[in-house]
mmCIF file of all heavy atoms in Angstrom:
data_model
loop_
_atom_site.group_PDB
_atom_site.id
_atom_site.type_symbol
_atom_site.label_atom_id
_atom_site.label_comp_id
_atom_site.label_asym_id
_atom_site.label_seq_id
_atom_site.Cartn_x
_atom_site.Cartn_y
_atom_site.Cartn_z
ATOM 1 N N TRP A 27 6.294 1.521 -7.637
ATOM 2 C CA TRP A 27 7.452 1.146 -6.818
ATOM 3 C C TRP A 27 6.955 0.628 -5.467
ATOM 4 O O TRP A 27 5.787 0.554 -5.190
ATOM 5 C CB TRP A 27 8.404 2.332 -6.640
ATOM 6 C CG TRP A 27 8.171 3.253 -5.451
ATOM 7 C CD1 TRP A 27 8.872 3.243 -4.286
ATOM 8 C CD2 TRP A 27 7.229 4.260 -5.381
ATOM 9 N NE1 TRP A 27 8.372 4.213 -3.445
ATOM 10 C CE2 TRP A 27 7.369 4.880 -4.092
ATOM 11 C CE3 TRP A 27 6.226 4.771 -6.235
ATOM 12 C CZ2 TRP A 27 6.574 5.946 -3.657
ATOM 13 C CZ3 TRP A 27 5.453 5.835 -5.808
ATOM 14 C CH2 TRP A 27 5.617 6.405 -4.547
ATOM 15 N N THR A 28 7.935 0.219 -4.613
ATOM 16 C CA THR A 28 7.574 -0.352 -3.338
ATOM 17 C C THR A 28 7.219 0.737 -2.360
ATOM 18 O O THR A 28 8.065 1.153 -1.534
ATOM 19 C CB THR A 28 8.721 -1.229 -2.785
ATOM 20 O OG1 THR A 28 9.175 -2.136 -3.801
ATOM 21 C CG2 THR A 28 8.275 -1.984 -1.557
ATOM 22 N N PHE A 29 6.066 1.196 -2.442
ATOM 23 C CA PHE A 29 5.582 2.309 -1.658
ATOM 24 C C PHE A 29 5.674 2.031 -0.147
ATOM 25 O O PHE A 29 5.906 2.930 0.653
ATOM 26 C CB PHE A 29 4.135 2.588 -2.058
ATOM 27 C CG PHE A 29 3.448 3.698 -1.312
ATOM 28 C CD1 PHE A 29 3.787 5.007 -1.510
ATOM 29 C CD2 PHE A 29 2.468 3.377 -0.373
ATOM 30 C CE1 PHE A 29 3.115 6.030 -0.852
ATOM 31 C CE2 PHE A 29 1.866 4.389 0.320
ATOM 32 C CZ PHE A 29 2.139 5.701 0.047
ATOM 33 N N SER A 30 5.514 0.788 0.240
ATOM 34 C CA SER A 30 5.430 0.439 1.649
ATOM 35 C C SER A 30 6.705 0.691 2.382
ATOM 36 O O SER A 30 6.716 0.715 3.628
ATOM 37 C CB SER A 30 5.035 -1.028 1.784
ATOM 38 O OG SER A 30 5.985 -1.873 1.158
ATOM 39 N N SER A 31 7.823 0.917 1.672
ATOM 40 C CA SER A 31 9.108 1.192 2.343
ATOM 41 C C SER A 31 9.410 2.649 2.450
ATOM 42 O O SER A 31 10.504 3.021 2.949
ATOM 43 C CB SER A 31 10.231 0.490 1.557
ATOM 44 O OG SER A 31 10.364 1.041 0.278
ATOM 45 N N SER A 32 8.486 3.502 2.033
ATOM 46 C CA SER A 32 8.755 4.933 1.956
ATOM 47 C C SER A 32 7.998 5.735 3.003
ATOM 48 O O SER A 32 6.772 5.571 3.138
ATOM 49 C CB SER A 32 8.361 5.478 0.579
ATOM 50 O OG SER A 32 9.073 4.845 -0.463
ATOM 51 N N PRO A 33 8.688 6.609 3.689
ATOM 52 C CA PRO A 33 7.922 7.601 4.478
ATOM 53 C C PRO A 33 7.207 8.547 3.544
ATOM 54 O O PRO A 33 7.681 8.809 2.405
ATOM 55 C CB PRO A 33 9.028 8.346 5.279
ATOM 56 C CG PRO A 33 10.254 8.161 4.448
ATOM 57 C CD PRO A 33 10.116 6.841 3.746
ATOM 58 N N VAL A 34 6.130 9.077 3.965
ATOM 59 C CA VAL A 34 5.302 9.964 3.156
ATOM 60 C C VAL A 34 4.935 11.240 3.945
ATOM 61 O O VAL A 34 4.675 11.192 5.144
ATOM 62 C CB VAL A 34 4.005 9.233 2.663
ATOM 63 C CG1 VAL A 34 3.077 10.218 1.939
ATOM 64 C CG2 VAL A 34 4.337 8.085 1.779
ATOM 65 N N GLU A 35 4.957 12.314 3.258
ATOM 66 C CA GLU A 35 4.634 13.588 3.881
ATOM 67 C C GLU A 35 3.555 14.307 3.022
ATOM 68 O O GLU A 35 3.495 14.142 1.786
ATOM 69 C CB GLU A 35 5.878 14.484 4.000
ATOM 70 C CG GLU A 35 6.934 13.837 4.873
ATOM 71 C CD GLU A 35 8.125 14.757 5.135
ATOM 72 O OE1 GLU A 35 8.013 15.984 4.955
ATOM 73 O OE2 GLU A 35 9.176 14.232 5.546
ATOM 74 N N TRP A 36 2.791 15.140 3.706
ATOM 75 C CA TRP A 36 1.848 16.024 3.047
ATOM 76 C C TRP A 36 2.338 17.457 3.207
ATOM 77 O O TRP A 36 2.823 17.809 4.327
ATOM 78 C CB TRP A 36 0.442 15.907 3.661
ATOM 79 C CG TRP A 36 -0.319 14.668 3.247
ATOM 80 C CD1 TRP A 36 -0.374 13.510 3.935
ATOM 81 C CD2 TRP A 36 -1.140 14.502 2.100
ATOM 82 N NE1 TRP A 36 -1.186 12.601 3.285
ATOM 83 C CE2 TRP A 36 -1.661 13.194 2.127
ATOM 84 C CE3 TRP A 36 -1.477 15.346 1.050
ATOM 85 C CZ2 TRP A 36 -2.524 12.719 1.189
ATOM 86 C CZ3 TRP A 36 -2.355 14.831 0.054
ATOM 87 C CH2 TRP A 36 -2.838 13.540 0.132
ATOM 88 N N PHE A 37 2.250 18.186 2.154
ATOM 89 C CA PHE A 37 2.565 19.620 2.174
ATOM 90 C C PHE A 37 1.370 20.362 1.593
ATOM 91 O O PHE A 37 0.490 19.776 0.978
ATOM 92 C CB PHE A 37 3.779 19.897 1.275
ATOM 93 C CG PHE A 37 5.018 19.261 1.784
ATOM 94 C CD1 PHE A 37 5.335 17.907 1.437
ATOM 95 C CD2 PHE A 37 5.972 19.926 2.517
ATOM 96 C CE1 PHE A 37 6.497 17.301 1.913
ATOM 97 C CE2 PHE A 37 7.133 19.333 2.972
ATOM 98 C CZ PHE A 37 7.410 18.013 2.681
ATOM 99 N N ARG A 38 1.380 21.664 1.781
ATOM 100 C CA ARG A 38 0.340 22.503 1.176
ATOM 101 C C ARG A 38 0.945 23.848 0.764
ATOM 102 O O ARG A 38 1.960 24.286 1.336
ATOM 103 C CB ARG A 38 -0.844 22.694 2.075
ATOM 104 C CG ARG A 38 -0.560 23.506 3.345
ATOM 105 C CD ARG A 38 -1.768 23.501 4.266
ATOM 106 N NE ARG A 38 -1.548 24.283 5.455
ATOM 107 C CZ ARG A 38 -2.404 24.354 6.477
ATOM 108 N NH1 ARG A 38 -3.537 23.639 6.461
ATOM 109 N NH2 ARG A 38 -2.102 25.116 7.517
ATOM 110 N N GLN A 39 0.304 24.384 -0.228
ATOM 111 C CA GLN A 39 0.756 25.743 -0.695
ATOM 112 C C GLN A 39 -0.462 26.587 -1.016
ATOM 113 O O GLN A 39 -1.272 26.219 -1.872
ATOM 114 C CB GLN A 39 1.649 25.619 -1.911
ATOM 115 C CG GLN A 39 2.248 26.918 -2.325
ATOM 116 C CD GLN A 39 3.393 26.794 -3.287
ATOM 117 O OE1 GLN A 39 3.558 25.734 -3.960
ATOM 118 N NE2 GLN A 39 4.278 27.769 -3.358
ATOM 119 N N ALA A 40 -0.599 27.677 -0.280
ATOM 120 C CA ALA A 40 -1.661 28.605 -0.484
ATOM 121 C C ALA A 40 -1.217 29.656 -1.487
ATOM 122 O O ALA A 40 -0.008 29.888 -1.641
ATOM 123 C CB ALA A 40 -2.073 29.242 0.813
ATOM 124 N N PRO A 41 -2.155 30.332 -2.178
ATOM 125 C CA PRO A 41 -1.769 31.370 -3.146
ATOM 126 C C PRO A 41 -0.878 32.449 -2.506
ATOM 127 O O PRO A 41 -1.229 32.965 -1.428
ATOM 128 C CB PRO A 41 -3.103 31.938 -3.579
ATOM 129 C CG PRO A 41 -4.073 30.822 -3.345
ATOM 130 C CD PRO A 41 -3.616 30.107 -2.145
ATOM 131 N N GLY A 42 0.229 32.724 -3.130
ATOM 132 C CA GLY A 42 1.098 33.778 -2.655
ATOM 133 C C GLY A 42 1.963 33.398 -1.473
ATOM 134 O O GLY A 42 2.684 34.248 -0.916
ATOM 135 N N LYS A 43 1.890 32.127 -1.049
ATOM 136 C CA LYS A 43 2.681 31.681 0.117
ATOM 137 C C LYS A 43 3.600 30.549 -0.296
ATOM 138 O O LYS A 43 3.409 29.895 -1.321
ATOM 139 C CB LYS A 43 1.702 31.231 1.227
ATOM 140 C CG LYS A 43 0.862 32.328 1.828
ATOM 141 C CD LYS A 43 0.135 31.844 3.019
ATOM 142 C CE LYS A 43 -0.672 32.982 3.671
ATOM 143 N NZ LYS A 43 -1.389 32.515 4.881
ATOM 144 N N GLU A 44 4.580 30.327 0.564
ATOM 145 C CA GLU A 44 5.507 29.232 0.311
ATOM 146 C C GLU A 44 4.852 27.905 0.714
ATOM 147 O O GLU A 44 3.974 27.854 1.555
ATOM 148 C CB GLU A 44 6.799 29.489 1.093
ATOM 149 C CG GLU A 44 7.645 30.603 0.641
ATOM 150 C CD GLU A 44 8.978 30.662 1.339
ATOM 151 O OE1 GLU A 44 9.224 29.877 2.241
ATOM 152 O OE2 GLU A 44 9.790 31.526 0.937
ATOM 153 N N ARG A 45 5.348 26.872 0.081
ATOM 154 C CA ARG A 45 4.886 25.543 0.468
ATOM 155 C C ARG A 45 5.261 25.251 1.896
ATOM 156 O O ARG A 45 6.357 25.556 2.329
ATOM 157 C CB ARG A 45 5.523 24.513 -0.460
ATOM 158 C CG ARG A 45 5.026 23.087 -0.281
ATOM 159 C CD ARG A 45 5.612 22.192 -1.323
ATOM 160 N NE ARG A 45 7.035 22.076 -1.190
ATOM 161 C CZ ARG A 45 7.857 21.697 -2.164
ATOM 162 N NH1 ARG A 45 7.375 21.351 -3.350
ATOM 163 N NH2 ARG A 45 9.164 21.591 -1.942
ATOM 164 N N GLU A 46 4.374 24.589 2.634
ATOM 165 C CA GLU A 46 4.630 24.280 4.042
ATOM 166 C C GLU A 46 4.318 22.826 4.349
ATOM 167 O O GLU A 46 3.388 22.251 3.732
ATOM 168 C CB GLU A 46 3.855 25.215 4.953
ATOM 169 C CG GLU A 46 2.338 25.073 4.875
ATOM 170 C CD GLU A 46 1.625 25.927 5.915
ATOM 171 O OE1 GLU A 46 2.278 26.543 6.767
ATOM 172 O OE2 GLU A 46 0.363 25.964 5.894
ATOM 173 N N PHE A 47 5.034 22.323 5.287
ATOM 174 C CA PHE A 47 4.832 20.958 5.759
ATOM 175 C C PHE A 47 3.539 20.893 6.545
ATOM 176 O O PHE A 47 3.169 21.804 7.313
ATOM 177 C CB PHE A 47 6.033 20.598 6.686
ATOM 178 C CG PHE A 47 5.762 19.344 7.523
ATOM 179 C CD1 PHE A 47 5.904 18.102 6.919
ATOM 180 C CD2 PHE A 47 5.412 19.397 8.837
ATOM 181 C CE1 PHE A 47 5.684 16.958 7.649
ATOM 182 C CE2 PHE A 47 5.225 18.279 9.615
ATOM 183 C CZ PHE A 47 5.333 17.050 9.012
ATOM 184 N N VAL A 48 2.809 19.766 6.339
ATOM 185 C CA VAL A 48 1.554 19.564 7.045
ATOM 186 C C VAL A 48 1.627 18.343 7.970
ATOM 187 O O VAL A 48 1.317 18.449 9.164
ATOM 188 C CB VAL A 48 0.398 19.326 6.036
ATOM 189 C CG1 VAL A 48 -0.908 19.033 6.773
ATOM 190 C CG2 VAL A 48 0.214 20.599 5.201
ATOM 191 N N ALA A 49 2.054 17.189 7.412
ATOM 192 C CA ALA A 49 2.053 15.968 8.206
ATOM 193 C C ALA A 49 2.975 14.948 7.596
ATOM 194 O O ALA A 49 3.283 15.039 6.388
ATOM 195 C CB ALA A 49 0.601 15.371 8.296
ATOM 196 N N ALA A 50 3.417 14.004 8.422
ATOM 197 C CA ALA A 50 4.321 12.960 7.905
ATOM 198 C C ALA A 50 3.960 11.652 8.611
ATOM 199 O O ALA A 50 3.463 11.615 9.703
ATOM 200 C CB ALA A 50 5.781 13.324 8.192
ATOM 201 N N ILE A 51 4.302 10.575 7.901
ATOM 202 C CA ILE A 51 4.074 9.252 8.437
ATOM 203 C C ILE A 51 5.231 8.352 8.031
ATOM 204 O O ILE A 51 5.699 8.460 6.908
ATOM 205 C CB ILE A 51 2.718 8.662 8.004
ATOM 206 C CG1 ILE A 51 2.404 7.377 8.765
ATOM 207 C CG2 ILE A 51 2.679 8.449 6.492
ATOM 208 C CD1 ILE A 51 0.966 6.923 8.630
ATOM 209 N N SER A 52 5.698 7.536 8.954
ATOM 210 C CA SER A 52 6.808 6.636 8.680
ATOM 211 C C SER A 52 6.348 5.473 7.772
ATOM 212 O O SER A 52 5.144 5.312 7.523
ATOM 213 C CB SER A 52 7.381 6.057 9.967
ATOM 214 O OG SER A 52 6.358 5.364 10.677
ATOM 215 N N TRP A 53 7.335 4.707 7.320
ATOM 216 C CA TRP A 53 6.973 3.679 6.354
ATOM 217 C C TRP A 53 5.974 2.676 6.850
ATOM 218 O O TRP A 53 5.156 2.143 6.082
ATOM 219 C CB TRP A 53 8.266 2.946 5.899
ATOM 220 C CG TRP A 53 8.890 2.104 7.001
ATOM 221 C CD1 TRP A 53 9.769 2.529 7.954
ATOM 222 C CD2 TRP A 53 8.629 0.721 7.272
ATOM 223 N NE1 TRP A 53 10.085 1.462 8.793
ATOM 224 C CE2 TRP A 53 9.391 0.378 8.402
ATOM 225 C CE3 TRP A 53 7.838 -0.232 6.652
ATOM 226 C CZ2 TRP A 53 9.398 -0.924 8.921
ATOM 227 C CZ3 TRP A 53 7.841 -1.521 7.156
ATOM 228 C CH2 TRP A 53 8.591 -1.863 8.300
ATOM 229 N N ASP A 54 6.010 2.432 8.177
ATOM 230 C CA ASP A 54 5.091 1.432 8.746
ATOM 231 C C ASP A 54 3.904 2.052 9.453
ATOM 232 O O ASP A 54 3.114 1.342 10.075
ATOM 233 C CB ASP A 54 5.861 0.505 9.689
ATOM 234 C CG ASP A 54 6.445 1.257 10.883
ATOM 235 O OD1 ASP A 54 6.402 2.508 10.872
ATOM 236 O OD2 ASP A 54 6.912 0.587 11.833
ATOM 237 N N GLY A 55 3.857 3.390 9.456
ATOM 238 C CA GLY A 55 2.729 4.041 10.114
ATOM 239 C C GLY A 55 2.944 4.217 11.585
ATOM 240 O O GLY A 55 2.074 4.748 12.258
ATOM 241 N N GLY A 56 4.060 3.814 12.076
ATOM 242 C CA GLY A 56 4.283 3.839 13.552
ATOM 243 C C GLY A 56 4.640 5.180 14.130
ATOM 244 O O GLY A 56 4.472 5.428 15.295
ATOM 245 N N VAL A 57 5.130 6.059 13.260
ATOM 246 C CA VAL A 57 5.517 7.405 13.707
ATOM 247 C C VAL A 57 4.822 8.435 12.797
ATOM 248 O O VAL A 57 4.804 8.290 11.589
ATOM 249 C CB VAL A 57 7.057 7.587 13.622
ATOM 250 C CG1 VAL A 57 7.415 9.032 14.058
ATOM 251 C CG2 VAL A 57 7.762 6.553 14.464
ATOM 252 N N THR A 58 4.215 9.404 13.444
ATOM 253 C CA THR A 58 3.595 10.467 12.727
ATOM 254 C C THR A 58 4.047 11.811 13.275
ATOM 255 O O THR A 58 4.498 11.901 14.388
ATOM 256 C CB THR A 58 2.053 10.405 12.755
ATOM 257 O OG1 THR A 58 1.639 10.487 14.125
ATOM 258 C CG2 THR A 58 1.518 9.116 12.172
ATOM 259 N N ASP A 59 3.889 12.845 12.458
ATOM 260 C CA ASP A 59 4.270 14.218 12.858
ATOM 261 C C ASP A 59 3.336 15.178 12.173
ATOM 262 O O ASP A 59 2.905 14.923 11.072
ATOM 263 C CB ASP A 59 5.731 14.483 12.472
ATOM 264 C CG ASP A 59 6.256 15.743 13.106
ATOM 265 O OD1 ASP A 59 5.727 16.191 14.150
ATOM 266 O OD2 ASP A 59 7.204 16.345 12.526
ATOM 267 N N PHE A 60 3.113 16.286 12.857
ATOM 268 C CA PHE A 60 2.187 17.296 12.301
ATOM 269 C C PHE A 60 2.713 18.698 12.512
ATOM 270 O O PHE A 60 3.420 18.963 13.526
ATOM 271 C CB PHE A 60 0.814 17.185 12.994
ATOM 272 C CG PHE A 60 0.162 15.842 12.780
ATOM 273 C CD1 PHE A 60 0.353 14.789 13.663
ATOM 274 C CD2 PHE A 60 -0.686 15.597 11.665
ATOM 275 C CE1 PHE A 60 -0.226 13.542 13.459
ATOM 276 C CE2 PHE A 60 -1.250 14.392 11.459
ATOM 277 C CZ PHE A 60 -1.025 13.343 12.342
ATOM 278 N N ALA A 61 2.351 19.553 11.643
ATOM 279 C CA ALA A 61 2.623 20.974 11.833
ATOM 280 C C ALA A 61 1.726 21.438 13.005
ATOM 281 O O ALA A 61 0.603 20.958 13.203
ATOM 282 C CB ALA A 61 2.277 21.765 10.586
ATOM 283 N N ASP A 62 2.242 22.422 13.740
ATOM 284 C CA ASP A 62 1.463 22.897 14.913
ATOM 285 C C ASP A 62 0.091 23.393 14.489
ATOM 286 O O ASP A 62 -0.882 23.277 15.236
ATOM 287 C CB ASP A 62 2.273 24.013 15.590
ATOM 288 C CG ASP A 62 3.463 23.499 16.354
ATOM 289 O OD1 ASP A 62 3.522 22.286 16.621
ATOM 290 O OD2 ASP A 62 4.344 24.354 16.693
ATOM 291 N N SER A 63 0.008 23.972 13.311
ATOM 292 C CA SER A 63 -1.226 24.590 12.853
ATOM 293 C C SER A 63 -2.347 23.565 12.623
ATOM 294 O O SER A 63 -3.511 23.934 12.534
ATOM 295 C CB SER A 63 -0.997 25.351 11.555
ATOM 296 O OG SER A 63 -0.481 24.517 10.546
ATOM 297 N N VAL A 64 -1.985 22.249 12.491
ATOM 298 C CA VAL A 64 -2.999 21.271 12.199
ATOM 299 C C VAL A 64 -3.121 20.174 13.293
ATOM 300 O O VAL A 64 -3.975 19.329 13.209
ATOM 301 C CB VAL A 64 -2.754 20.578 10.824
ATOM 302 C CG1 VAL A 64 -2.626 21.624 9.699
ATOM 303 C CG2 VAL A 64 -1.546 19.709 10.836
ATOM 304 N N LYS A 65 -2.224 20.242 14.227
ATOM 305 C CA LYS A 65 -2.284 19.240 15.345
ATOM 306 C C LYS A 65 -3.663 19.243 15.969
ATOM 307 O O LYS A 65 -4.250 20.304 16.173
ATOM 308 C CB LYS A 65 -1.189 19.533 16.368
ATOM 309 C CG LYS A 65 0.144 18.962 16.042
ATOM 310 C CD LYS A 65 1.179 19.275 17.121
ATOM 311 C CE LYS A 65 2.528 18.758 16.730
ATOM 312 N NZ LYS A 65 3.572 19.147 17.694
ATOM 313 N N SER A 66 -4.097 18.073 16.318
ATOM 314 C CA SER A 66 -5.405 17.817 16.950
ATOM 315 C C SER A 66 -6.556 17.928 16.001
ATOM 316 O O SER A 66 -7.679 17.541 16.288
ATOM 317 C CB SER A 66 -5.669 18.752 18.172
ATOM 318 O OG SER A 66 -6.060 20.032 17.778
ATOM 319 N N ARG A 67 -6.307 18.411 14.753
ATOM 320 C CA ARG A 67 -7.399 18.517 13.750
ATOM 321 C C ARG A 67 -7.188 17.522 12.624
ATOM 322 O O ARG A 67 -8.140 17.018 12.032
ATOM 323 C CB ARG A 67 -7.481 19.908 13.190
ATOM 324 C CG ARG A 67 -7.778 21.005 14.219
ATOM 325 C CD ARG A 67 -8.069 22.332 13.539
ATOM 326 N NE ARG A 67 -6.924 22.838 12.824
ATOM 327 C CZ ARG A 67 -6.953 23.130 11.498
ATOM 328 N NH1 ARG A 67 -8.066 22.962 10.778
ATOM 329 N NH2 ARG A 67 -5.870 23.623 10.904
ATOM 330 N N PHE A 68 -5.936 17.299 12.271
ATOM 331 C CA PHE A 68 -5.625 16.375 11.156
ATOM 332 C C PHE A 68 -5.031 15.072 11.692
ATOM 333 O O PHE A 68 -4.321 15.086 12.700
ATOM 334 C CB PHE A 68 -4.600 17.026 10.221
ATOM 335 C CG PHE A 68 -5.088 18.198 9.386
ATOM 336 C CD1 PHE A 68 -6.284 18.816 9.652
ATOM 337 C CD2 PHE A 68 -4.313 18.668 8.367
ATOM 338 C CE1 PHE A 68 -6.748 19.866 8.874
ATOM 339 C CE2 PHE A 68 -4.754 19.779 7.613
ATOM 340 C CZ PHE A 68 -5.976 20.361 7.881
ATOM 341 N N THR A 69 -5.277 14.000 11.002
ATOM 342 C CA THR A 69 -4.600 12.723 11.275
ATOM 343 C C THR A 69 -4.086 12.149 9.954
ATOM 344 O O THR A 69 -4.630 12.443 8.875
ATOM 345 C CB THR A 69 -5.525 11.709 11.947
ATOM 346 O OG1 THR A 69 -6.654 11.474 11.087
ATOM 347 C CG2 THR A 69 -5.998 12.157 13.296
#
Side-chain angles (χ1 to χ4, degrees):
W27 91 101
T28 309
F29 178 75
S30 59
S31 64
S32 300
V34 174
E35 300 185 18
W36 284 94
F37 296 84
R38 67 186 181 186
Q39 187 165 21
K43 295 188 177 181
E44 292 188 355
R45 186 174 64 200
E46 64 175 354
F47 167 79
V48 176
I51 189 166
S52 60
W53 68 273
D54 62 350
V57 179
T58 60
D59 190 25
F60 298 91
D62 288 343
S63 58
V64 307
K65 274 181 184 175
S66 78
R67 299 189 298 122
F68 291 11
T69 58

